[in-house]
Amino acid sequence: MKQLSQYDTPIHQALEEQKHNRLAHFDVPGHKGGRGNKELKHFLGEECMRLDMNSMKPLDNLCHPVSVIKDAQRLAAEAFGADEAFFIVNGTTAAVQAMIMSSCKAGDKVIMPRNVHRSAINALVVCGAIPVYINPGTNKQLGIPLGMSVQDVETTILENPDAKAILVNNPTYYGICSNLREIVRIAHQHNMLVLVDEAHGTHFYFHEGLPVSAMEAGADMAAVSMHKTGGSLTQSSILLTKNSVNGDYVRQVINLTQTTSASYLLLSSLDIARKNMYLNGNEAIAKTIYFADYARNEINKLGGYYAFAEELVDGDTVYAFDTTKLSIFTRDIGLAGIEVYDLLRDDYGIQIEFGDVGNILAIISSGDRNLEIERLISALSEIKRLHEKDKAGLFDHEYVKPNIVMAPQKAFYSQKKSVPLKESNGMVCGEFVMCYPPGIPILAPGELITEEVLRYILYAKEKGCFMTGTEDMKIENINVVEG
């Protein structure tokens, strides 16, 4: 048996072998290497279509890996400092849901911040676990949710000693980190698992100058979006686990919802991206940090904008900051973040990650170029010059504390009726309302609809945020619990 190293890419290597063995394919996919869909082959390229293969013995099977996928996952676990790694082709959504669904059953409590991604609350709808929410800290100037206070975590754990696990966002979309080591220590003292939504922290594992990674902090499971900052294809992710959880059971839970027809394009991208990050990640991330720091400094010189970073660190709800994140506060120039987002794309040909009611986020990586960084800075300067106005009347916060009156699963599957959004004040929400990205629910099933929440939703709609979650595609009506 060959001794594998981080230089190996078992899935990629197996695909390369299959590509040259002149098999006659009487299996799926039906495009047969692109011959059956020439337009798609012309669009994606012949090589891509030929590598779009189905599970077969030489390529292993993601549902029950015994050879090359097993080897690739073992190398990923080693690279990330985990005991096991599971490749996910349904996005990090599936990894987050697998963490919760393998830790909790119907009726079990799970502690989490309310500014979680919708995937976490979706898992509660499916499995019937009960959320115990911790309100994150908030920054009054920026209006953004922060991390969780250790004191709030400890108090919540003491008040809910029967909770099975605690979920931590680390980092948040804005780059904010909680005191993960201390949260792990306290949770483990009370026999609770620590699950980390590390979707935006893949790079933490490969540069010592960044905040601590989930596995290094001692967490039991972590969902990492390899495609976000690790270089793999969109929708590919990795679920990392320690031996404190039963990896075989976790795999069974993953298989409840993950496709049985895993894309080998996604799997091989995870394999190759892991190798690249392990061997070259430190250098690539150093370049990313340099780009982000440079852009921050130049943007702050423009006046009006505030590109925030480590100065927010307070040792508590902002325990650390991810300096690769270029998060920019825009409200002082009289524009909502989503308005700057739209101007950048429509007038300057610049696509950033998202804009909300007060901030924008630009994702920086080593794949960027100096010229593009300068284009972004120049465009922001022009937007300020041409569009700056009085900030009076702008909404001043992103986070509205929820009022939970019913479990998410019960509310989602209850008898519901559709009412006009503007007339829903005081009713119990039966579905989700959120801006995407980032995909953090403004309202989730089982939460009381309040005047403050409605003001936020209507303001976000008016400013042009992309709203999702409701059955009504126009976001004019909302499903509420009857009775």
Side-chain angles (χ1 to χ4, degrees):
M1 180 178 173
K2 179 187 174 185
Q3 185 69 34
L4 296 175
S5 76
Q6 291 294 329
Y7 288 87
D8 288 299
T9 51
I11 299 172
H12 161 230
Q13 289 158 358
L15 275 174
E16 287 283 5
E17 290 174 12
Q18 290 305 309
K19 190 174 69 175
H20 299 297
N21 68 4
R22 301 186 65 188
L23 279 179
H25 278 281
F26 293 99
D27 59 351
V28 295
H31 61 68
K32 302 297 174 93
R35 295 190 303 274
N37 189 339
K38 292 182 180 177
E39 184 177 357
L40 186 61
K41 179 174 73 172
H42 178 73
F43 177 60
L44 295 180
E46 185 173 356
E47 186 80 350
C48 175
M49 299 297 282
R50 289 177 65 194
L51 290 173
D52 184 32
M53 299 184 192
N54 190 37
S55 292
M56 59 180 86
K57 282 190 175 180
L59 294 180
D60 207 355
N61 188 299
L62 184 59
C63 294
H64 192 93
V66 294
S67 59
V68 293
I69 295 177
K70 181 180 180 180
D71 289 341
Q73 291 185 153
R74 181 162 54 83
L75 288 172
E78 179 184 284
F80 283 88
D83 291 318
E84 291 197 62
F86 301 89
F87 284 2
I88 305 291
V89 294
N90 286 21
T92 308
T93 286
V96 169
Q97 291 171 348
M99 290 196 300
I100 293 172
M101 292 166 63
S102 61
S103 304
C104 305
K105 302 186 292 294
D108 286 344
K109 292 179 183 177
V110 55
I111 298 168
M112 60 176 67
R114 175 53 182 77
N115 60 322
V116 289
H117 188 264
R118 69 169 295 175
S119 57
I121 304 179
N122 283 347
L124 306 181
V125 169
V126 174
C127 77
I130 309 297
V132 178
Y133 290 128
I134 295 177
N135 284 311
T138 55
N139 181 292
K140 290 184 178 179
Q141 177 192 0
L142 305 175
I144 62 171
L146 306 173
M148 292 187 291
S149 161
V150 168
Q151 183 59 58
D152 287 347
V153 169
E154 188 161 28
T155 299
T156 306
I157 286 175
L158 291 172
E159 290 173 350
N160 298 273
D162 54 340
K164 300 296 183 182
I166 178 167
L167 177 72
V168 185
N169 292 333
N170 209 71
T172 69
Y173 230 131
Y174 301 100
I176 307 295
C177 296
S178 301
N179 187 346
L180 194 54
R181 287 188 195 274
E182 189 63 11
I183 290 172
V184 168
R185 186 189 68 78
I186 295 168
H188 285 174
Q189 273 186 344
H190 293 85
N191 299 313
M192 293 181 193
L193 296 174
V194 178
L195 323 175
V196 182
D197 181 349
E198 208 169 25
H200 296 274
T202 304
H203 50 297
F204 285 6
Y205 291 85
F206 303 103
H207 193 283
E208 62 183 15
L210 294 174
V212 66
S213 69
M215 291 294 101
E216 186 181 348
D220 302 282
M221 290 192 262
V224 296
S225 278
M226 198 67 170
H227 71 93
K228 286 186 171 70
T229 57
S232 65
L233 291 177
T234 295
Q235 201 175 306
S236 58
S237 182
I238 302 177
L239 176 58
L240 305 170
T241 67
K242 291 287 194 179
N243 284 337
S244 50
V245 298
N246 181 343
D248 291 328
Y249 177 66
V250 171
R251 188 185 68 254
Q252 284 189 314
V253 171
I254 292 170
N255 287 340
L256 291 175
T257 55
Q258 179 153 259
T259 178
T260 56
S261 303
S263 164
Y264 278 89
L265 297 174
L266 298 182
L267 292 174
S268 59
S269 81
L270 284 171
D271 203 14
I272 295 168
R274 178 270 312 157
K275 173 186 174 182
N276 182 56
M277 288 300 286
Y278 186 87
L279 298 178
N280 307 309
N282 190 69
E283 179 183 350
I285 295 164
K287 183 179 178 184
T288 304
I289 294 170
Y290 169 77
F291 275 155
D293 284 344
Y294 172 77
R296 247 190 305 274
N297 291 333
E298 294 301 307
I299 291 165
N300 284 333
K301 290 176 186 176
L302 299 176
Y305 298 105
Y306 174 30
F308 51 91
E310 290 173 306
E311 71 279 358
L312 298 183
V313 171
D314 61 7
D316 188 24
T317 53
V318 188
Y319 186 76
F321 186 84
D322 174 10
T323 52
T324 70
K325 295 288 189 297
L326 184 58
S327 304
I328 306 163
F329 179 64
T330 65
R331 202 164 54 239
D332 282 346
I333 65 166
L335 295 176
I338 187 63
E339 292 175 307
V340 176
Y341 170 99
D342 286 339
L343 287 166
L344 283 168
R345 183 193 61 247
D346 297 342
D347 293 358
Y348 298 92
I350 295 173
Q351 181 63 57
I352 58 171
E353 178 67 8
F354 81 85
D356 53 35
V357 300
N359 302 272
I360 58 173
L361 172 67
I363 296 294
I364 308 295
S365 87
S366 61
D368 288 313
R369 294 171 291 191
N370 288 308
L371 180 62
E372 290 161 339
I373 300 291
E374 295 294 351
R375 273 184 66 187
L376 175 61
I377 297 164
S378 297
L380 289 173
S381 177
E382 279 290 288
I383 288 170
K384 176 178 180 289
R385 184 177 67 83
L386 296 173
H387 300 280
E388 185 173 16
K389 58 187 177 183
D390 194 300
K391 66 179 179 179
L394 291 180
F395 212 86
D396 65 355
H397 57 282
E398 305 289 338
Y399 180 71
V400 180
K401 291 182 180 180
N403 188 339
I404 297 96
V405 294
M406 189 180 292
Q409 185 184 64
K410 183 178 180 182
F412 187 83
Y413 289 111
S414 68
Q415 190 68 33
K416 292 175 284 192
K417 63 181 179 181
S418 178
V419 301
L421 189 62
K422 294 179 180 179
E423 298 173 16
S424 63
N425 185 29
M427 300 178 183
V428 178
C429 186
E431 56 186 357
F432 292 92
V433 184
M434 72 201 82
C435 301
Y436 187 85
I440 297 168
I442 304 167
L443 270 174
E447 295 179 1
L448 188 69
I449 303 171
T450 64
E451 190 64 40
E452 185 184 13
V453 168
L454 287 176
R455 281 201 310 271
Y456 183 98
I457 293 170
L458 295 172
Y459 179 85
K461 276 187 68 179
E462 176 193 333
K463 289 298 183 182
C465 291
F466 183 63
M467 310 294 289
T468 69
T470 53
E471 188 176 309
D472 173 23
M473 294 293 287
K474 295 180 180 178
I475 326 286
E476 293 172 351
N477 296 289
I478 189 168
N479 286 334
V480 298
V481 176
E482 283 191 338

